[in-house]
Amino acid sequence: MDYQRVLDEMLHVATPLTHQGAVADYIPELARVASGQFGVALCLVDGTTFSAGAADTRFSIQSVSKLFTLSLAYRLEGDALWRRVGREPSGTPFNSLVQLEIDHGIPRNPFVNAGALVVTDTLCSHYAHPSLAILDFLREISGAGDVNFNSAVAESEAGHGHRNAAMAHFIKSFGNLATDVDAVLQTYFQHCSIEMSCVELARAALFVANHGVVPHGGKAILTPLATRRLNAILLTCGTYNAAGDFAFKVGLPAKSGVGGGIVAIVPGQLAICVWSPTLDEYGNSVAGVAALEHFSALTAHSVFQ
Ligand code: GLN
């Protein structure tokens, strides 16, 4: 497969779309990011890397971080985690509160904000410095020792994060947060604010394509079974209430974020990350989804073979 040609064609298809949609502005710092940008990077499990466009530009990973916090929590908690968070697609926006009351404070899945807050809570229980533990994990698996938080973004979100705060308090009222609400929120805003490039995110996600093992160094993050399950949750829940449409168009497990990044996995083969800041109504990158649809069409990579 000539992946460089594939990525160049994705860049070609995506570039005219990079002004469609809108940059996330409910986090004021994110509204400052310029539209018109697109990057893509692909890492094979043997470490070979291909890229096109702004693949080395760092952006706010936002909810893509939830792939990594879930991996850490699943490793620490095992299947006990599923007593506190479900595995069903929500069919509601990522920041919706409506199901929480009906579901008695058990979020539908770990990728909607409510579920990610519970996942972050488990990390707050396990680590003295949970934000640093998440950052260290990302530095280790991406091989980029200077990956960091963007404190302006974290503070901006904290200053406008009333919905997430309401959600965290609501979950706490059902007894499904063990640690301090403000500490959970602070840790959540911090890990969402981490900045990485497409190349760094594709490399960091390689263990999800490689049966749970980081190819460079050989460290096992998750068991092969847990990795298959993680991929299943990515496929069904990773792009929120657009997950059905994304599965139809792209057919790969993936995680998106409102910074405009999307990481997708071809199990056993590769991880790919696209980035373009303008979003559709579901909070997924317009050009990013279109580029991945083109990737799937060109390569026939899909879990639905
Ligand atoms: N930090 C963002 C929030 O909590 C993440 C949302 C996202 O990327 N979908 O709203």
Side-chain angles (χ1 to χ4, degrees), residues 118-192:
V118 170
V119 166
T120 300
D121 177 59
T122 68
L123 301 180
C124 289
S125 292
H126 274 94
Y127 296 110
H129 302 286
S131 301
L132 288 178
I134 298 163
L135 183 66
D136 281 347
F137 178 55
L138 280 168
R139 286 177 171 172
E140 179 190 343
I141 61 178
S142 68
D146 63 342
V147 162
N148 222 329
F149 309 111
N150 180 324
S151 50
V153 170
E155 280 163 31
S156 178
E157 182 161 13
H160 295 79
H162 305 296
R163 188 172 268 268
N164 283 323
M167 219 175 275
H169 281 285
F170 201 43
I171 297 167
K172 182 85 172 175
S173 79
F174 286 102
N176 197 18
L177 280 195
T179 64
D180 177 66
V181 170
D182 290 332
V184 172
L185 284 166
Q186 200 200 357
T187 305
Y188 174 82
F189 295 142
Q190 292 257 32
H191 73 64
C192 285

Side-chain angles (χ1 to χ4, degrees), residues 26-27 61-64 66 94-95 113 157 164 188-189 192 240 256-259 283:
Y26 73 98
I27 302 172
I61 69 171
Q62 291 297 319
S63 286
V64 179
K66 296 171 185 172
F94 63 82
N95 58 1
N113 288 11
E157 182 161 13
N164 283 323
Y188 174 82
F189 295 142
C192 285
Y240 312 113
S256 61
V258 293

Side-chain angles (χ1 to χ4, degrees), residues 247-258:
F248 179 86
K249 289 177 174 164
V250 182
L252 295 173
K255 186 72 211 81
S256 61
V258 293

Side-chain angles (χ1 to χ4, degrees), residues 2-129:
D2 184 353
Y3 282 119
Q4 190 56 54
R5 188 185 60 80
V6 170
L7 267 49
D8 290 341
E9 286 196 29
M10 290 168 72
L11 174 63
H12 182 71
V13 164
T15 300
L17 305 175
T18 55
H19 292 286
Q20 279 187 24
V23 173
D25 59 2
Y26 73 98
I27 302 172
E29 269 304 301
L30 290 186
R32 293 154 50 103
V33 177
S35 61
Q37 307 188 73
F38 177 82
V40 54
L42 183 155
C43 288
L44 301 176
V45 291
D46 71 3
T48 314
T49 303
F50 303 88
S51 66
D56 291 313
T57 304
R58 284 184 172 162
F59 56 89
S60 195
I61 69 171
Q62 291 297 319
S63 286
V64 179
S65 61
K66 296 171 185 172
L67 160 57
F68 303 105
T69 52
L70 175 60
S71 300
L72 278 177
Y74 198 9
R75 185 168 66 161
L76 290 165
E77 298 274 326
D79 286 328
L81 184 64
W82 310 120
R83 289 202 284 270
R84 297 183 54 192
V85 60
R87 309 183 293 254
E88 288 296 335
S90 68
T92 55
F94 63 82
N95 58 1
S96 174
L97 281 138
V98 291
Q99 289 165 339
L100 268 181
E101 179 152 37
I102 303 160
D103 295 344
H104 308 289
I106 310 288
R108 285 282 163 102
N109 67 67
F111 293 146
V112 288
N113 288 11
L117 288 164
V118 170
V119 166
T120 300
D121 177 59
T122 68
L123 301 180
C124 289
S125 292
H126 274 94
Y127 296 110
H129 302 286

Side-chain angles (χ1 to χ4, degrees), residues 275-295:
W275 169 64
S276 184
T278 48
L279 310 176
D280 62 20
E281 63 186 294
Y282 306 104
N284 300 321
S285 168
V286 174
V289 172
L292 287 172
E293 186 177 1
H294 199 59
F295 172 77

